[in-house]
Amino acid sequence: MMSRSYTNLLDLASGNFPAMGQPREKKRLPRVMTVPGVISELDDDQANSVTSDAPSSAIQDRIIIVANQLPVKAKRRPDNKGWSFSWDDDSLVLQLKDGLPEEMEVLYVGSLKVDVDPVEQDDVSQLLLDKFKCVPAFLPSDILTKFYHGFCKQHLWPLFHYMLPFSASHGGRFDRSLWEAYVAVNKIFSQRVIEVINPEEDYVWIHDYHLMVLPTFLRRRFNRLRMGFFLHSPFPSSEIYRTLPVREEIMKALLNSDLIGFHTYDYARHFLSCCSRMLGLEYQSKRGYIGVEYYGRTIGIKIMPVGIHMGQIKSVLSLADKEWRVAELKQQFEGKIVLLGVDDMDVFKGIDLKLLAMEQMLKQHPKWQGRAVLVQIANPSRGRGKDLEDIQAEIQASCKRINETFGQPGYEPIVLIDRPVSLCERFAYYTIAECVVVTAVRDGMNLTPYEYIVGRQGVSESESSSESSGPKKSMLVVSEFIGCSPSLSGAIRINPWNTESTAEAMNEAISMSDAEKQLRHEKHYRYVSSHDVAFWSRSFFQDLERTCRDHFRRRCWGIGLSFGFRVVALDPNFRKLSIDHILSVYLRSKNRAILLDYDGTVMPQTSHNKTPSAEVISIINALSGDTKNTVFVVSGRGRESLGKWFSPCKKLGIAAEHGFFMRWSANDEWELCGQNSEFGWKQIAEPVMKLYTESTDGSSIETKESALVWHHRDADPGFGSSQAKEMLDHLESVLANEPVAVKSGQFIVEVKPQGVSKGMVAEKIFTTMSEKGKQADFVLCIGDDRSDEEMFEIISNAISSGILSSSTSVFACTVGQKPSKARYYLDDPAEVLNMLEALAEASDPESFTDTESKGSL
């Protein structure tokens, strides 16, 4: 039964939003799609995904930037007839264009900051598309409120900044109608993208937490769409994120992207931890690139902090003197040392903590009384709520208290500017500030320190006055919990919750020698000026291109309902095993070799009772009883348990412990296939394994006759994996001179004799059959994990070496859709048994009866 936490996409497609009004049907924008087929199919959200291999008529690549808001400013015309629009130069999604290829066309999809009357929406859409290449998503007011001020600001924003809803009065309770509004808005955005997209040629770059389920809507329609997502907020640790009731829906939606970007390694690490703990997905790092394997697709993980727009800032710097008379500000604060804070009025910006630290510094270091001034610019809040009101009241009270305590005639230690401040005015304050202090308790990036560094550097030498052309210096005190902190190695990093240490850091910053400030400033400026917004967008787009390089060479199709939808991408030669096809070949063949893995193949990995069922025994008995068949169970399990479980199957061959022990039937003796029967190495390996078992809760050691296996399936996923890697290195080191192989597998580390593998078992079976004049003309080999890949690999070698004929019909089949050396796959053990049952029913009943009667004698 599907969890109620899933909002069915099919319901959403039909407009089934029980807690809100119906969005108005709007005139569609002209399509620019070149996908072969009937366009009306794409107007129906129930239509199949577009996966055409036909070439597109588009001449060049284009990128569609999707963000919550379009990078335009809107104003009502003076005559109140229509709207006038202009670019918003402060918008990041506009600035990132500088890093994209010059010839690339950029289209923007997003909402407007103003409410446009429904009768004007078509005209506004056409105007924005023609003049700005912008596609507006008009959101009904009731849905917009629940989407932005509801789900985004009440649920996602606090949670991503580590604020849990402990009570109804503190953070509130999860409201499903807000989630439905969030999904509804993402759907509206997807419709606007679909109206203008060319899926064979366009790239799509989605921005931020407002649109985290949009990738599922787009991927559901266009399986091979090239799509990236960048999260501009923090991504919390898995313990925090997993409290979200719709955690899996959002995670799976993000994984429908091709590339997911984060500002810092910490944010990416938390996301990867959620992938591991919630979905069992592990990541790999190859040549500096991190990737997560997900149903045959590799989702890239990009770690790259955003930068500032150097061109815009340099143009502002040339205006700052004229517009805001920096000299006047210098006169206002003459003889004072200015510390500057520039923050949004937000509960996470730590303005209150900064004021407390300033108060502490003035107490601890009285020499700064009358000299040090903290200018705090508090930009208007983008959110609302009681928590924000409480913080505002606390800030006002702290300012009043500190100024009353330490103020003097002509001197106020705190100057609070709680009004909108233009970019020009902000840079005037940067120019006079000796130090910028950022005490945010959690922030995705925060570009204030970057702006300050460039502001202190000023304009170029040729444009600067003789006074400002001397050595440049700046100083930063930054919270260790903000995204830009790792990039600023010369800053003094602080824990903002510790007001004493923050106060000492502020004192250290303004007491530091000019030479030291200059060295730190130069280091920071080199980084900030080279890692600007163009560098960031160029790097992200290059990685998106690389990640999507093989999109159109792979077969893709969508599976799953609702937010469980995902795309399976497989090699064109990798296909599902057809029962009808294998059955027809089976009936024509004379000498058949059938090799079956046990765990995960005929027995589900999740089953606690590993004893084969009566159905499995019956099927294998039927197959092994046919004289045309040579049937083997090839497993890593011990010979005692396998022999006991399959004792009713008299003609079944068993290869135990990956082939170290082998017998051709129940009446034959076990053969020793390993090259070495000395097990003195166990005395070295076992103490090492015991050491890791004691320190890893949930792990265990399995002792086999020929091998030792350390299991960590029931351990903490992250710690178990880490311990397994450590153990692998440890064992390889202490067993370097022993005749053994140390290998890692699915939740295991195994030590076994050299030269023992399932591949060697397969080769021996094929060779023996050939020597007896019964060369196999039909080979079926099924397995589910890494050890079974050795069997798949040996089959192709056996054909080239002549052990198998080139005309042999080979069915190498893996269980589960994943990259494999096998050519075929079946989804799960249930499908394996269905296929084997069909073969068993087609087996020669006379030879089976004869075999059974001989076995009973």
Side-chain angles (χ1 to χ4, degrees):
M1 180 177 175
M2 186 173 290
S3 166
R4 286 191 60 205
S5 66
Y6 282 78
T7 301
N8 197 299
L9 293 184
L10 303 182
D11 289 340
L12 296 175
S14 61
N16 182 17
F17 301 112
M20 60 194 73
Q22 301 290 332
R24 169 182 168 272
E25 272 297 317
K26 293 181 285 290
K27 175 185 172 184
R28 300 263 178 161
L29 288 174
R31 288 185 189 277
V32 294
M33 293 176 57
T34 57
V35 181
V38 182
I39 284 182
S40 62
E41 285 184 345
L42 299 172
D43 289 330
D44 175 12
D45 281 350
Q46 309 293 331
N48 292 328
S49 298
V50 176
T51 58
S52 170
D53 289 323
S56 166
S57 63
I59 297 171
Q60 63 186 36
D61 285 340
R62 183 179 66 167
I63 189 165
I64 300 175
I65 307 292
V66 191
N68 181 40
Q69 292 184 336
L70 289 172
V72 293
K73 296 177 181 176
K75 277 187 180 179
R76 195 75 184 168
R77 286 179 182 163
D79 58 5
N80 208 33
K81 294 180 180 179
W83 296 86
S84 62
F85 297 93
S86 60
W87 287 114
D88 181 359
D89 293 329
D90 295 336
S91 173
L92 176 66
V93 294
L94 179 64
Q95 295 171 355
L96 65 81
K97 185 178 179 181
D98 289 1
L100 300 175
E102 284 186 20
E103 68 281 2
M104 175 167 272
E105 181 185 356
V106 180
L107 197 68
Y108 297 96
V109 176
S111 63
L112 291 168
K113 296 178 184 178
V114 295
D115 188 19
V116 178
D117 191 280
V119 299
E120 299 177 302
Q121 289 178 2
D122 288 341
D123 292 337
V124 167
S125 294
Q126 199 62 53
L127 174 66
L128 286 171
L129 184 62
D130 293 342
K131 292 192 174 182
F132 296 89
K133 293 186 178 177
C134 288
V135 180
F138 299 109
L139 307 178
S141 58
D142 55 340
I143 295 181
L144 175 60
T145 301
K146 290 188 172 186
F147 158 71
Y148 185 75
H149 293 292
F151 194 76
C152 289
K153 287 300 181 182
Q154 286 183 31
H155 290 318
L156 291 182
W157 180 257
L159 188 77
F160 280 23
H161 290 74
Y162 288 73
M163 184 172 160
L164 291 172
F166 288 113
S167 66
S169 59
H170 181 79
R173 293 298 182 215
F174 183 77
D175 185 340
R176 185 152 302 280
S177 70
L178 303 184
W179 163 243
E180 289 171 348
Y182 182 83
V183 175
V185 167
N186 277 250
K187 179 172 174 57
I188 291 170
F189 272 77
S190 74
Q191 290 168 341
R192 304 306 273 172
V193 173
I194 289 168
E195 286 170 357
V196 294
I197 196 170
N198 178 344
E200 302 292 314
E201 296 292 339
D202 292 347
Y203 291 88
V204 176
W205 187 357
I206 303 167
H207 289 266
D208 222 3
Y209 66 97
H210 314 89
L211 302 171
M212 288 197 294
V213 299
L214 179 57
T216 287
F217 284 105
L218 295 178
R219 185 68 68 194
R220 181 172 175 262
R221 184 60 69 88
F222 309 116
N223 285 349
R224 286 186 277 197
L225 180 64
R226 298 176 291 187
M227 178 167 48
F229 178 92
F230 197 93
L231 183 67
H232 293 274
S233 78
F235 193 93
S237 66
S238 65
E239 289 80 5
I240 299 293
Y241 178 78
R242 284 184 289 148
T243 64
L244 186 64
V246 288
R247 59 188 189 178
E248 286 196 14
E249 291 89 323
I250 290 176
M251 283 292 294
K252 289 176 179 178
L254 288 175
L255 290 170
N256 276 318
S257 306
D258 295 301
L259 181 66
I260 305 173
F262 301 92
H263 285 307
T264 72
Y265 172 68
D266 272 353
Y267 303 161
R269 179 169 56 87
H270 296 156
F271 176 79
L272 293 170
S273 176
C274 288
C275 288
S276 172
R277 291 175 179 275
M278 291 167 50
L279 305 175
L281 304 176
E282 297 299 330
Y283 74 91
Q284 289 184 331
S285 182
K286 292 182 181 177
R287 297 184 179 179
Y289 298 108
I290 300 174
V292 177
E293 288 292 327
Y294 187 58
Y295 290 93
R297 295 169 53 240
T298 300
I299 294 96
I301 303 298
K302 177 71 173 175
I303 302 167
M304 175 61 67
V306 72
I308 56 177
H309 192 281
M310 291 296 292
Q312 181 198 25
I313 289 177
K314 285 181 178 178
S315 66
V316 170
L317 287 173
S318 63
L319 300 173
D321 267 18
K322 183 174 67 176
E323 291 201 17
W324 283 97
R325 302 189 300 266
V326 172
E328 188 171 280
L329 285 175
K330 286 182 177 178
Q331 185 179 358
Q332 178 185 345
F333 295 105
E334 186 178 5
K336 308 291 191 297
I337 292 176
V338 177
L339 296 98
L340 179 65
V342 181
D343 304 278
D344 292 341
M345 183 60 76
D346 188 290
V347 295
F348 302 109
K349 299 302 182 184
I351 298 175
D352 50 332
L353 297 175
K354 190 185 307 180
L355 297 175
L356 293 176
M358 181 67 179
E359 183 179 30
Q360 181 70 20
M361 186 186 80
L362 294 175
K363 286 179 182 176
Q364 293 292 110
H365 302 279
K367 63 180 180 179
W368 298 121
Q369 295 178 21
R371 294 176 60 200
V373 177
L374 173 63
V375 177
Q376 177 62 55
I377 297 173
N379 300 317
S381 171
R382 285 177 281 184
R384 58 194 186 194
K386 186 176 182 301
D387 289 334
L388 184 60
E389 293 170 4
D390 291 345
I391 286 290
Q392 287 175 314
E394 184 180 343
I395 290 170
Q396 294 288 350
S398 294
C399 289
K400 183 179 179 183
R401 183 185 68 253
I402 296 169
N403 285 337
E404 287 177 353
T405 304
F406 299 101
Q408 302 169 10
Y411 168 72
E412 282 191 337
I414 306 294
V415 177
L416 180 65
I417 303 173
D418 56 349
R419 58 173 171 78
V421 174
S422 70
L423 197 59
C424 288
E425 184 181 2
R426 195 160 80 229
F427 273 87
Y429 279 101
Y430 287 148
T431 304
I432 65 158
E434 193 69 20
C435 174
V436 155
V437 184
V438 183
T439 54
V441 296
R442 193 71 60 176
D443 208 348
M445 186 61 195
N446 199 313
L447 294 175
T448 296
Y450 287 14
E451 291 180 349
Y452 169 64
I453 289 161
V454 178
R456 292 288 285 183
Q457 181 71 15
V459 292
S460 63
E461 293 275 330
S462 60
E463 301 170 43
S464 60
S465 65
S466 58
E467 182 186 345
S468 62
S469 60
K472 314 293 184 183
K473 62 184 192 296
S474 63
M475 201 57 221
L476 291 166
V477 174
V478 299
S479 165
E480 64 189 60
F481 303 118
I482 65 175
C484 67
S485 175
S487 309
L488 300 170
S489 56
I492 301 176
R493 298 192 183 103
I494 49 96
N495 172 8
W497 300 102
N498 188 334
T499 53
E500 289 84 1
S501 67
T502 303
E504 286 303 318
M506 292 163 68
N507 172 62
E508 181 186 349
I510 57 180
S511 303
M512 195 174 287
S513 69
D514 285 353
E516 180 68 17
K517 290 178 183 177
Q518 182 184 341
L519 286 172
R520 296 186 184 218
H521 170 81
E522 288 172 355
K523 183 178 185 181
H524 287 158
Y525 183 74
R526 281 196 302 271
Y527 175 84
V528 172
S529 59
S530 58
H531 291 70
D532 61 355
V533 67
F535 178 87
W536 167 75
S537 62
R538 186 183 308 116
S539 179
F540 185 90
F541 181 71
Q542 287 171 350
D543 272 19
L544 182 59
E545 280 187 309
R546 179 187 54 79
T547 306
C548 301
R549 195 180 299 140
D550 296 332
H551 263 36
F552 299 101
R553 291 193 294 170
R554 313 192 79 178
R555 292 187 308 124
C556 301
W557 63 91
I559 59 174
L561 297 174
S562 185
F563 286 109
F565 177 86
R566 64 271 189 200
V567 165
V568 177
L570 300 171
D571 186 276
N573 297 320
F574 191 57
R575 66 193 70 177
K576 190 162 188 175
L577 185 57
S578 164
I579 293 180
D580 291 341
H581 175 52
I582 191 174
L583 192 57
S584 65
V585 178
Y586 181 85
L587 291 170
R588 292 196 305 268
S589 56
K590 303 296 182 184
N591 296 307
R592 311 176 188 122
I594 301 174
L595 282 62
L596 306 173
D597 175 42
Y598 186 67
D599 291 283
T601 301
V602 295
M603 173 61 63
Q605 288 281 13
T606 54
S607 176
H608 291 287
N609 181 9
K610 296 297 184 180
T611 305
S613 64
E615 180 191 15
V616 170
I617 295 295
S618 173
I619 291 171
I620 291 182
N621 235 335
L623 289 172
S624 59
D626 189 328
T627 54
K628 295 177 182 177
N629 295 345
T630 299
V631 184
F632 265 81
V633 169
V634 185
S635 172
R637 287 189 173 273
R639 57 177 173 173
E640 184 178 340
S641 55
L642 290 173
K644 179 182 177 181
W645 289 343
F646 290 102
S647 56
C649 307
K650 303 300 181 183
K651 293 297 181 182
L652 173 68
I654 297 177
E657 299 192 17
H658 297 296
F660 189 84
F661 299 106
M662 186 174 173
R663 74 178 188 193
W664 288 80
S665 72
N667 296 326
D668 294 325
E669 295 295 322
W670 288 98
E671 301 175 22
L672 190 67
C673 301
Q675 299 172 358
N676 198 314
S677 57
E678 294 294 325
F679 299 107
W681 54 265
K682 285 189 176 182
Q683 297 174 8
I684 304 172
E686 194 166 19
V688 174
M689 286 189 169
K690 283 183 177 178
L691 182 69
Y692 285 86
T693 304
E694 289 169 6
S695 60
T696 312
D697 192 35
S699 65
S700 61
I701 301 172
E702 179 187 359
T703 303
K704 301 180 181 179
E705 290 183 68
S706 68
L708 289 174
V709 187
W710 187 73
H711 296 267
H712 61 94
R713 179 180 293 276
D714 296 328
D716 176 89
F719 186 54
S721 177
S722 172
Q723 290 287 79
K725 291 174 185 175
E726 187 70 26
M727 179 193 285
L728 190 70
D729 290 341
H730 195 161
L731 289 171
E732 284 177 343
S733 175
V734 299
L735 297 172
N737 298 319
E738 299 294 330
V740 294
V742 184
K743 293 189 176 183
S744 62
Q746 198 169 28
F747 300 108
I748 66 164
V749 174
E750 183 172 26
V751 184
K752 61 182 181 180
Q754 288 176 348
V756 174
S757 72
K758 290 185 177 182
M760 300 299 291
V761 172
E763 186 175 21
K764 184 168 185 176
I765 292 170
F766 300 149
T767 302
T768 304
M769 290 178 68
S770 183
E771 289 172 352
K772 291 182 177 180
K774 298 177 67 177
Q775 187 181 54
D777 57 1
F778 172 97
V779 174
L780 171 61
C781 181
I782 313 179
D784 76 306
D785 66 15
R786 197 178 301 172
S787 65
D788 300 306
E789 295 294 317
E790 297 167 344
M791 287 197 291
F792 305 148
E793 185 176 15
I794 210 71
I795 291 173
S796 57
N797 296 338
I799 292 174
S800 60
S801 64
I803 299 173
L804 292 176
S805 167
S806 58
S807 61
T808 301
S809 299
V810 175
F811 296 91
C813 178
T814 187
V815 181
Q817 299 168 13
K818 57 181 181 287
S820 172
K821 292 172 185 173
R823 188 174 176 183
Y824 299 95
Y825 75 89
L826 290 170
D827 285 324
D828 50 42
E831 288 196 353
V832 173
L833 290 180
N834 286 340
M835 184 270 296
L836 292 177
E837 186 176 26
L839 299 185
E841 290 174 355
S843 297
D844 188 344
E846 292 184 7
S847 63
F848 174 65
T849 304
D850 293 344
T851 305
E852 283 295 290
S853 61
K854 289 175 186 175
S856 63
L857 292 175

